[in-house]
Amino acid sequence: SRDIITRDLLPLPANEFNDFHRFLQLFIGLNVQCFIGGTVCSSDAANDPVFLLHLSQLDSLLTRWQNFGDGRATVRYADDNSVLLFSSGFTVADFSNNLNLPHSVCLLYDPPFLLKNH
């Protein structure tokens, strides 16, 4: 829920990145996928357009966490020089900062908003 993300996930400091990543991946990532159901909770998840929306949400949460400062933008992945498969030689570190992606790409997210009941 939004409260858990705001209260428990986003405040985690940079030195607790492993806890942040585990929480993001397991609690939010996998649980939401299986809550959605269908192919999103299967090995064919990448074929479902909803899966891309879900990944975008996870990426947005990572970016929000990194924007808190405290060295969060450069923690863990910034030092990972493992070459990604099928990536023309790009490394994990090349994709660790959404403000400085390969080929001069920059991802910016608008702040989240709440829908009001009518």
Side-chain angles (χ1 to χ4, degrees), residues 13-80:
N15 64 352
E16 293 183 33
F17 175 78
N18 288 336
D19 292 335
F20 168 82
H21 186 256
R22 191 175 309 108
F23 190 95
L24 187 68
Q25 209 174 27
L26 298 177
F27 181 75
I28 298 173
L30 294 176
N31 283 342
V32 169
Q33 279 179 244
C34 289
F35 178 78
I36 293 169
T39 57
V40 178
C41 188
S42 74
S43 60
D44 293 326
N47 296 324
D48 192 320
V50 173
F51 185 67
L52 294 176
L53 294 173
H54 177 56
L55 290 181
S56 295
Q57 176 62 23
L58 295 176
D59 192 53
S60 173
L61 289 171
L62 173 63
T63 299
R64 285 176 59 198
W65 181 78
Q66 288 176 326
N67 287 340
F68 276 98
D70 183 30
R72 296 175 193 197
T74 58
V75 71
R76 173 101 187 257
Y77 295 127
D79 296 331
D80 190 340

